[in-house]
């Protein structure tokens, strides 16, 4: 079995035998089975997928895209493979919060970031690329003196942003699509 990759098991999602790991967030005392010290994958397809994912994580580069027609207040980060294939993107823009309140108050930040979207190609999801994009944004925000950020997300985007340090704010956003007018039938 020297050809098998062995990895340590720290939590249920590290172990393919933990069927409950994706659906429940159980405390350790409620795990239906004890966790083994290490795990490996016998299925060649799964093993190859795991190796492929490790290679993508190791070689993918995240960088801030600048230049072109991108305004100074718009921020774009990309995740690329060594061959230049774009596999992820984060778009954000700066805003002045005091404009929303009508005036500036002492202590109010002059700028904050709004995360417009974090996209990762379907095949490359769950490899940590979305987190790396958000981390790159936060690092550069702080270097630019911007401490606050806001985002509106749905579905898995919520879990990604929560894992990256965002918090849910009690508000009542509304989805307001602008669609072409519908034509009646008849």
């Amino acid at each position: 079995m020297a050809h098998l990759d062995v990895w340590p098991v720290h939590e249920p999602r590290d172990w393919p035998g933990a069927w409950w790991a994706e659906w429940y967030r159980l405390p350790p005392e409620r795990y239906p089975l004890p966790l083994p010290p290490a795990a490996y994958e016998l299925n060649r397809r799964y093993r190859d997928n795991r190796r492929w994912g490790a290679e993508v994580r190791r070689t993918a580069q995240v960088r801030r895209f600048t230049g072109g027609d991108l305004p100074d207040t718009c921020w774009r980060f990309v995740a690329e493979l060594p061959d230049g294939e774009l596999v992820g993107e984060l778009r954000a823009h700066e805003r002045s919060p005091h404009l929303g309140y009508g005036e500036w108050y002492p202590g109010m930040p002059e700028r904050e970031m709004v995360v417009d979207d974090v996209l990762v190609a379907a095949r490359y999801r769950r490899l940590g690329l979305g987190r790396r994009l958000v981390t790159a944004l936060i690092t550069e925000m702080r270097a630019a003196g911007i401490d606050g950020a806001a985002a509106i997300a749905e579905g898995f985007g919520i879990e990604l942003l929560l894992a990256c340090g965002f918090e849910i704010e009690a508000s009542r956003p509304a989805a307001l699509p602008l669609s072409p007018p519908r034509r009646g039938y008849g």
Side-chain angles (χ1 to χ4, degrees):
M1 291 200 179
H3 66 284
L4 299 178
D5 302 328
V6 178
W7 61 88
V9 174
H10 301 291
E11 58 183 323
R13 67 179 175 188
D14 296 335
W15 181 34
W19 50 266
W20 72 90
E22 292 296 323
W23 297 283
Y24 302 104
R25 298 200 189 279
L26 296 173
E29 63 272 5
R30 303 226 16 235
Y31 292 168
L33 299 170
L35 298 179
Y40 56 89
E41 184 58 65
L42 289 174
N43 183 307
R44 180 178 202 90
R45 190 181 85 212
Y46 292 161
R47 191 170 59 243
D48 290 346
N49 281 341
R50 181 181 275 279
R51 289 175 181 169
W52 169 82
E55 179 68 10
V56 168
R57 280 189 288 277
R58 187 181 67 74
T59 62
Q61 296 294 313
V62 171
R63 67 179 176 88
R64 183 172 177 189
F65 178 85
T66 57
D69 294 336
L70 196 63
D72 291 339
T73 58
C74 292
W75 296 39
R76 180 178 183 225
F77 291 83
V78 294
E80 299 170 313
L81 297 179
D83 65 0
E85 179 185 357
L86 179 67
V87 294
E89 177 182 48
L90 180 147
R91 292 183 182 209
H93 67 274
E94 294 177 35
R95 72 175 174 192
S96 301
H98 67 275
L99 294 175
Y101 295 111
E103 61 183 283
W104 184 81
Y105 298 101
M108 179 184 285
E110 292 183 32
R111 304 182 299 168
E112 70 179 0
M113 193 62 62
V114 177
V115 178
D116 298 317
D117 216 342
V118 181
L119 302 170
V120 176
R123 182 173 184 214
Y124 299 93
R125 292 182 188 149
R126 302 182 60 89
L127 297 176
L129 297 175
R131 180 186 288 267
R132 287 177 57 191
L133 288 163
V134 173
T135 301
L137 169 72
I138 292 169
T139 301
E140 291 212 22
M141 277 174 40
R142 295 208 169 123
I146 303 172
D147 293 324
I152 296 177
E154 61 184 354
F156 293 114
I158 295 171
E159 297 217 7
L160 168 65
L161 293 173
L162 289 173
C164 293
F166 283 75
E167 296 176 355
I168 293 179
E169 181 179 75
S171 65
R172 297 189 63 178
L176 305 167
L178 178 62
S179 303
R182 297 178 190 215
R183 297 203 165 115
Y185 297 98

